[in-house]
Amino acid sequence: MQKMIKINFPKDKVVTRKGLRGDEIFDPIRKKYFVLTPEEWVRQNMIQYLLISKKYPASLISVEKEIRLGELRKRYDLVIYDRQVLPWMIIECKEMKTSLSERTLDQVLRYHAALPVTFLVITNGSYSIGFEKIDDKFIEINEFPDFL
């Protein structure tokens, strides 16, 4: 049985509006509005959780940047950097109806190959599963680490 990380998203912290393309949600990291898709809702609520509940510095959160996996170009959801600005955590966000499966975990592990980090997290907003890399093993965690 996998350990689920309990996340209580901060209430009423995401900012939405009606836009030309439909409902939009504000990203405080990228400082602009994006179409409010189910995955974007999870990503923005996760950002609010990291900023407000966990006190992660906004300046050390990177959202949807491209990485290269061999010849492939992929986009991660969130990367959190440590105080030395080294990649520290990758968070892969899925919409709520997507189950957290081996396939989702494989995706974040591929990102880890290109961007080695200490913590890997997959979330669908309802459930989150996390791992800490200790030596050469991934150990399940049951809560988000505090930012040091």
Side-chain angles (χ1 to χ4, degrees), residues 3-97:
K3 298 176 187 175
M4 293 290 172
I5 299 173
K6 177 86 172 119
I7 297 175
N8 292 315
F9 290 135
K11 297 271 187 250
D12 304 321
K13 293 299 179 187
V14 294
V15 176
T16 59
R17 71 177 187 190
K18 295 280 187 202
L20 296 174
R21 303 171 294 166
D23 291 339
E24 297 178 333
I25 191 166
F26 186 73
D27 182 326
I29 305 299
R30 295 178 283 180
K31 298 191 180 352
K32 64 184 192 176
Y33 282 88
F34 291 89
V35 173
L36 178 53
T37 63
E39 185 174 313
E40 195 64 44
W41 184 92
V42 171
R43 186 172 22 254
Q44 293 310 317
N45 275 276
M46 179 58 69
I47 288 170
Q48 292 300 329
Y49 171 76
L50 296 173
L51 293 173
I52 294 167
S53 300
K54 296 304 290 182
K55 307 285 190 239
Y56 287 20
S59 62
L60 297 176
I61 298 174
S62 175
V63 182
E64 282 214 305
K65 294 278 180 10
E66 185 178 279
I67 57 173
R68 294 187 81 102
L69 304 173
E71 294 297 314
L72 297 174
R73 293 177 181 205
K74 298 288 183 179
R75 294 179 79 79
Y76 59 73
D77 282 307
L78 301 170
V79 169
I80 298 27
Y81 292 86
D82 64 16
R83 295 203 187 279
Q84 290 72 46
V85 197
L86 298 171
W88 180 64
M89 178 188 293
I90 297 173
I91 302 173
E92 181 59 28
C93 300
K94 298 295 181 191
E95 62 182 81
M96 285 183 144
K97 69 179 183 180

